Amino acid sequence: MSEKYLLDPSDIRVLRVLQKDASLSIAEIAKEAGMSQTPCWRRIKKLKEQGIIRQITAIIDRESVGLGFVAYSFVKLTVPSRENMEIFDRLIHSWPEVVTCERITGAVDYLIKVVTDDIKTYDNFLRLKLLDNTLVSDVQSRIVVNTVKDTVALPLREN
């Protein structure tokens, strides 16, 4: 488990600005966060070093690049042993269609979010990757009909 850091109000302001638009210059981030440039740059550097900021990336509108199909799949392993989970975890990383994977409690072992071009491409993923794998005993899918909210921004609160 990663170490927990106590964020002060200035850290939180900087992180909120970055979550809205990480392409801003340090000057713009500092202005919006209510501080000068050098302390702002130091805070961002510290937040990166501590692993609080894991990466800065572009968020692509999936439909504008032809990825209009989303499904959530509940995956049950045949035998949910530590070894099988580690193997499945590695497999998940090799499948670009899987954009999120959570190991969960309950009747199934994993919840994965799968993004593809269309239902036919999803069917191919389901049959040729997920169900073709001897580790997997069952998959139940839920197809997304409309995305109401889609954000990567965390709900940061000041103490």
Side-chain angles (χ1 to χ4, degrees), residues 23-77:
S23 70
L24 296 175
S25 68
I26 293 292
E28 293 168 316
I29 295 167
K31 181 180 177 186
E32 191 143 338
M35 63 179 58
S36 59
Q37 289 183 44
T38 302
C40 181
W41 176 82
R42 284 190 191 120
R43 280 183 186 278
I44 293 171
K45 184 175 185 284
K46 176 190 78 166
L47 293 166
K48 286 179 179 179
E49 289 168 354
Q50 291 175 332
I52 293 168
I53 297 175
R54 286 192 324 213
Q55 70 183 56
I56 295 176
T57 186
I59 299 173
I60 300 166
D61 180 79
R62 62 181 170 73
E63 291 190 16
S64 68
V65 294
L67 296 170
F69 185 85
V70 178
Y72 286 89
S73 298
F74 296 94
V75 180
K76 182 166 182 50
L77 299 185

Side-chain angles (χ1 to χ4, degrees), residues 4 6 27 48 57 95 146-147:
K4 185 176 177 181
L6 185 62
K48 286 179 179 179
T57 186
W95 295 336
N146 184 36
T147 300

